Amino acid sequence: TGSTGNQSLTPISRQDFRRASDLCTSASARLPLTFNDNDVSEKKLKVGIIGSGAVGSYYGARLLQCGEYDVSFHMRGAHYETCKTSGLQIESSDGDFFIPPDELHVFERPEDMGKMDWVIVALKSTSLDAVPELVAPLLTPNTRVLAIMNGLIEDDLISKLASLPAGHAEEHTHPIGVPAKLHLDSCAAIYGGMALICSNRIAPGQIHHSYAGLLSGGLAAASSSHSSETHQEALEQLWAPTKVEFKYEQSIVGGRWRKNVWNLPFNGISVAMGGITVDKIVNDPGLRRLADIVMDETIAVANADMKSRLIDPSCYLGDADKIQMMDLSDNMGPYKTSTMLDLTNRKPMEVKYLFRKAVEKANQLNVPVPHLETLVTQIEAFQRFHNLY
């Protein structure tokens, strides 16, 4: 939900935001964060942020703020120049803070960042093809990659990272537990991340986090030489020292669909209506009803997808997820969704992975989603009319 533009939002408590997110999650534990068992030094773990916009800058800044990590940011343009000379200002409902330029490591070229223990990718899905080239200079066989992105990206993301140079094929495990042969020697693990946050880059070097902030994530692919529990606990431990509320998703497929329960109706309707804010959707009886129906259709295809992948039924979505997302939206105020801002600012829209993939999966599984398909048809028309690719 991160985007650019001014927002006016009413904060709610983090506790109110947690209810349905407890599905398929587990508590944090302490285990080593990297696979380098021979490294017993107390050097700070190195974290690289690729995509330092509204979301990447916020979560990267929270990692840096806790003092446990050496964080480097890949930035471009005015954002890079401002942060390099004047630092990074975070205005947050969870507490404002400032990172001075002498404590902020910013780079224009990933090649200059060095090797990382963790790489956090917070790009829009429209940039998915660029991910391998951007992250390759940062990777070692021990690096873990967390992709905080929208949409059903995992299959293509794994394939793209697996295409990087590798010495040999190893057996790796997908989140559904089905082994697959992948050349994933370029890194140790790939996780998917879902950010339920209203965060905006309101000016170069200035991030405004006004609402929510829960980050969830789960394993997408990893070397079979380490247990899934080890990978889970490493991701949980990464966020444990920070002020970020984190939840682990036992099924990354379920986690992606849960985020879609908000993204598809609210990003979708906001664009299909030509660019309206969330408050107009929830306060108009017809549009609120439409959002409710699209949520139901999303949950139906989500559960069919998880069933087809033999995912434990305890991870299926239901009314609790819909209630959570509607409550979130009721308290959001005149929020401009990321896709709506892309439309109004005439920037590339996240259509393929955020919208079209969901409809394709529904059609593949013979799940009727007529309202969602109509929304996606309208969104794709706007994309064609304004060449927002």
Side-chain angles (χ1 to χ4, degrees):
T1 55
S3 58
T4 58
N6 294 318
Q7 312 290 324
S8 176
L9 306 175
T10 304
I12 62 172
S13 71
R14 290 169 121 186
Q15 289 73 24
D16 290 340
F17 194 65
R18 293 179 58 149
R19 287 177 294 173
S21 295
D22 288 333
L23 295 171
C24 305
T25 60
S26 65
S28 297
R30 303 292 293 182
L31 277 186
L33 281 167
T34 71
F35 288 105
N36 190 350
D37 298 328
N38 296 321
D39 185 4
V40 294
S41 71
E42 295 184 1
K43 290 177 59 179
K44 291 182 178 180
L45 292 174
K46 293 176 67 65
V47 180
I49 311 296
I50 299 294
S52 301
V55 172
S57 291
Y58 174 77
Y59 286 115
R62 287 297 185 190
L63 288 167
L64 180 57
Q65 179 194 33
C66 77
E68 296 292 325
Y69 307 115
D70 180 358
V71 183
S72 297
F73 297 81
H74 176 236
M75 297 181 177
R76 292 171 174 162
H79 192 46
Y80 166 79
E81 295 295 341
T82 299
C83 288
K84 182 180 180 180
T85 59
S86 304
L88 177 62
Q89 177 68 48
I90 305 293
E91 300 172 2
S92 172
S93 56
D94 289 332
D96 299 350
F97 62 103
F98 173 72
I99 303 173
D102 59 341
E103 298 177 14
L104 188 63
H105 301 156
V106 297
F107 300 85
E108 284 187 295
R109 293 170 8 107
E111 294 84 354
D112 299 329
M113 296 173 68
K115 301 299 183 182
M116 298 291 160
D117 295 295
W118 283 89
V119 174
I120 296 176
V121 181
L123 297 166
K124 289 190 175 182
S125 61
T126 51
S127 298
L128 192 65
D129 287 344
V131 169
E133 180 180 359
L134 290 170
V135 305
L138 283 61
L139 301 181
T140 75
N142 296 326
T143 305
R144 291 185 173 100
V145 177
L146 170 62
I148 306 175
M149 301 174 71
N150 279 330
L152 304 177
I153 64 166
E154 263 65 42
D155 288 344
D156 285 358
L157 176 63
I158 293 168
S159 176
K160 292 177 188 299
L161 291 184
S163 69
L164 292 174
H168 59 280
E170 290 185 358
E171 185 178 86
H172 293 75
T173 302
H174 279 285
I176 58 174
V178 179
K181 292 291 183 179
L182 292 173
H183 290 279
L184 200 59
D185 300 311
S186 57
C187 63
I190 302 172
Y191 304 85
M194 288 68 64
L196 285 167
I197 186 173
C198 294
S199 181
N200 311 280
R201 190 175 66 189
I202 58 177
Q206 190 173 3
I207 303 299
H208 183 215
H209 163 230
S210 53
Y211 184 72
L214 175 68
L215 178 65
S216 62
L219 187 64
S223 170
S224 61
S225 59
H226 296 271
S227 69
S228 59
E229 290 79 12
T230 298
H231 292 297
Q232 172 181 340
E233 290 163 359
L235 182 59
E236 290 173 330
Q237 186 182 344
L238 175 67
W239 299 101
T242 74
K243 290 187 175 182
V244 174
E245 182 181 10
F246 178 79
K247 287 289 184 179
Y248 189 82
E249 294 281 357
Q250 295 293 345
S251 166
I252 185 59
V253 176
R256 286 292 181 200
W257 280 114
R258 182 175 294 110
K259 177 70 182 291
N260 274 349
V261 173
W262 191 89
N263 267 336
L264 294 179
F266 289 100
N267 264 296
I269 294 172
S270 69
V271 173
M273 289 295 296
I276 64 172
T277 51
V278 169
D279 61 319
K280 288 182 168 57
I281 298 172
V282 297
N283 291 323
D284 180 85
L287 294 179
R288 186 184 183 92
R289 174 60 180 156
L290 177 58
D292 187 81
I293 294 171
V294 173
M295 285 183 176
D296 285 337
E297 293 181 351
T298 302
I299 290 172
V301 66
N303 291 342
D305 187 21
M306 285 188 275
K307 182 178 180 179
S308 73
R309 299 172 185 256
L310 305 180
I311 294 174
D312 192 302
S314 65
C315 293
Y316 290 4
L317 307 186
D319 287 343
D321 300 284
K322 189 166 75 168
I323 292 169
Q324 177 201 19
M325 298 306 177
M326 193 60 82
D327 286 350
L328 171 73
S329 305
D330 280 334
N331 290 281
M332 197 171 284
Y335 184 69
K336 299 175 182 179
T337 71
S338 60
T339 315
M340 174 266 206
L341 281 171
D342 288 338
L343 172 66
T344 57
N345 294 327
R346 298 298 188 258
K347 294 182 177 180
M349 294 197 301
E350 297 184 278
V351 176
K352 177 181 177 181
Y353 291 101
L354 183 53
F355 296 105
R356 175 48 59 184
K357 287 278 188 181
V359 173
E360 289 176 353
K361 181 59 67 174
N363 292 337
Q364 175 189 337
L365 297 171
N366 296 314
V367 178
V369 289
H371 298 80
L372 174 60
E373 191 152 15
T374 299
L375 286 181
V376 175
T377 298
Q378 292 174 281
I379 293 166
E380 289 175 332
F382 276 120
Q383 186 181 42
R384 288 192 301 272
F385 295 161
H386 302 292
N387 195 30
L388 304 180
Y389 295 96

